[in-house]
Amino acid sequence: AQSVTQLDSQVPVFEEAPVELRCNYSSSVSVYLFWYVQYPNQGLQLLLKYLSGSTLVKGINGFEAEFNKSQTSFHLRKPSVHISDTAEYFCAVSRGGADGLTFGKGTHLIIQP
Amino acid sequence: ETGVTQSPTHLIKTRGQQVTLRCSSQSGHNTVSWYQQALGQGPQFIFQYYREEENGRGNFPPRFSGLQFPNYSSELNVNALELDDSALYLCASSHGTDYGYTFGSGTRLTVV
């Protein structure tokens, strides 16, 4: 079975500053990796995904993530955050097929003006 | 293109009752999966349906069951409700294995 650890439950950052949200996973097999964002009282929106190929993945809203197989990490970054980025961010993994997604507990990104 | 729609948005049930939640998949998507998200937690995979057959299941008891219809809409049924079943239930659809899961806004179930 696989698992996901999001190391920070909350990350406060000032507007226009860079941010990194950390995600580590464990799995005995190759996995696909995802980052989702959840705004209050809404469902999940896919930010980006890593299936194969280049380890640097670019997503929507200026976010990017880097897959590091040796460190089993998939950290999410944004060079300059905006107040509208305030939300809950979830890292997830899947072995594919009918496996479903295994999510971390989430990181609450708090943007301070 | 339409997204994933879920109904109802909120629901209150009594312990021991049964509940049915509904999901309409995004147009063109033939795979639907359901997740349970307890307050302050990440979503947990309940099960997945592909072409009307359950083809994957998480660690949930049999009282959680589902259906997928020919038009790819879906239902989640929960029998003998327990207080711990109180959660946000999310439906997600995708096309085959492209892993472009589109999530609905969820149904908030409260069991009292």
Side-chain angles (χ1 to χ4, degrees):
Chain A
Q2 60 267 24
S3 66
V4 176
T5 302
Q6 292 185 243
L7 297 161
D8 306 296
S9 58
Q10 279 192 125
V11 172
V13 63
F14 288 104
E15 197 169 12
E16 297 184 10
V19 69
E20 179 179 81
L21 305 184
R22 297 180 292 170
C23 172
N24 286 88
Y25 68 94
S26 68
S27 177
S28 57
V29 299
S30 295
V31 292
Y32 304 121
L33 297 152
F34 306 81
W35 275 99
Y36 283 87
V37 61
Q38 186 174 37
Y39 299 101
N41 301 314
Q42 292 190 27
L44 301 171
Q45 181 182 12
L46 179 66
L47 284 175
L48 47 80
K49 60 185 176 184
Y50 172 79
L51 303 183
S52 65
S54 172
T55 57
L56 182 63
V57 181
K58 294 193 181 296
I60 62 171
N61 300 342
F63 285 94
E64 65 179 32
E66 185 149 23
F67 169 54
N68 188 320
K69 188 174 182 179
S70 62
Q71 297 188 1
T72 60
S73 67
F74 191 55
H75 300 333
L76 181 71
R77 296 190 292 256
K78 186 170 183 177
S80 175
V81 295
H82 188 266
I83 198 79
S84 60
D85 292 323
T86 298
E88 194 80 20
Y89 290 79
F90 292 96
C91 180
V93 303
S94 175
R95 291 179 299 179
D99 194 46
L101 294 165
T102 299
F103 285 87
K105 291 188 175 182
T107 297
H108 188 197
L109 179 60
I110 302 167
I111 310 299
Q112 301 169 326
Chain B
E1 82 190 356
T2 58
V4 176
T5 56
Q6 294 186 241
S7 62
T9 54
H10 295 82
L11 200 54
I12 299 175
K13 288 287 190 178
T14 303
R15 189 171 50 181
Q17 285 188 316
Q18 179 265 343
V19 69
T20 298
L21 311 182
R22 294 179 173 83
C23 172
S24 178
S25 299
Q26 181 167 315
S27 176
H29 285 186
N30 56 14
T31 302
V32 66
S33 50
W34 285 88
Y35 291 81
Q36 180 195 67
Q37 186 178 18
L39 203 60
Q41 301 294 318
Q44 285 194 289
F45 176 60
I46 302 174
F47 47 58
Q48 177 174 288
Y49 277 78
Y50 173 67
R51 293 185 176 178
E52 303 175 55
E53 296 286 333
E54 182 182 304
N55 68 344
R57 191 175 185 93
N59 189 26
F60 279 81
R63 61 189 185 84
F64 286 79
S65 63
L67 284 171
Q68 186 185 29
F69 300 101
N71 65 356
Y72 302 129
S73 63
S74 174
E75 288 182 355
L76 165 65
N77 298 290
V78 187
N79 292 321
L81 284 167
E82 301 176 359
L83 297 179
D84 285 348
D85 295 334
S86 295
L88 180 68
Y89 288 85
L90 295 164
C91 170
S93 71
S94 65
H95 181 72
T97 56
D98 70 358
Y99 305 112
Y101 300 102
T102 301
F103 279 80
S105 297
T107 294
R108 174 74 63 187
L109 173 65
T110 303
V111 182
V112 298

